[in-house]
Amino acid sequence: MLSSLKIVLVETSHPGNIGGVARAMKNMQVSQLRLVNPKVFPSAEATARASGADDVLAHAQNYPTLQEAIADCQLVIGASARSRTVSWPEISPRQAAQTCLEQPAQTPIALVFGRENSGLKNHELDLCHYLLKIPCNPDYSSLNLAAAVQVVCYELFVTAHEKQQNAALKEQSPLATAQQMESFYQHLQQTMADIGFLQPEKTQSLMRKLRKIYNRTLLDSKELDLLRGILRFAQNHNQK
Ligand code: SAH
């Protein structure tokens, strides 16, 4: 799911940070690293800090400018710790993950991170659709570069897996149809009448409350079968 995502590092000064970023990416199954004009790369320090994620470093691509690094991307998000006088639409890592995963699969997406000492420049943020800010201590808001990449990739990883799991669950047991729900409500009302629970003058408001409860839970067809089984049992039991 995250295969079309590119982490773009702009003019990184410390090769150790590039290694730290590679490690953070691989932990979260992100593999495409793009480097804009790094000060020192390749480097033994980067490889050491990558600590087993050297395949990410080996496939890293170098670009002379940010424009070239993001040329093929359809969604570009720039990460910055600083508040700006010019305002860009601001999103959190969680919102960024949602936005990325709402795009059609394989959409090339760039997440851009700035220099250790001065971050991203305004003309670089001009190339971005969104400014991503990691919420943190307002008096100490600048994370280490690799830590910032870690937080963003983590949110993407978690959101992607939740989406996958939800899709798998929905496939296993689809939500009940409106018609199935209607039959259930009729069955429920009939059962409550059979067991003497219903007061005729309160039926309508009670049914409305019960609909609200069941609608809130988004029942799937298997869950509905279970509830109807209980209703049938109650009806049979009542006839004895
Ligand atoms: N001193 C720099 C911050 C450099 S940290 C500045 O003033 O901007 C290196 C990079 O990590 C930043 O450019 C940004 O891309 C990312 N980063 C660090 N902290 C962040 C935060 N709180 N929110 C979003 N990105 C952050």
Side-chain angles (χ1 to χ4, degrees), residues 79-82 84 112-120 132-134 136 141-145 148:
S80 173
R82 262 183 300 147
R84 311 275 167 159
V112 184
F113 294 82
R115 303 155 186 84
E116 293 95 327
N117 53 3
S118 57
L120 289 172
L132 181 156
K133 221 169 175 186
I134 300 168
C136 53
S141 64
S142 171
L143 277 74
N144 164 266
L145 176 60

Side-chain angles (χ1 to χ4, degrees), residues 100-122:
C100 291
L101 293 161
E102 275 162 14
Q103 308 310 314
Q106 305 311 322
T107 302
I109 298 174
L111 290 167
V112 184
F113 294 82
R115 303 155 186 84
E116 293 95 327
N117 53 3
S118 57
L120 289 172
K121 300 183 191 315
N122 282 354

Side-chain angles (χ1 to χ4, degrees), residues 135-156:
C136 53
N137 180 353
D139 300 324
Y140 191 67
S141 64
S142 171
L143 277 74
N144 164 266
L145 176 60
V149 171
Q150 184 79 76
V151 170
V152 176
C153 289
Y154 169 78
E155 286 293 348
L156 277 154

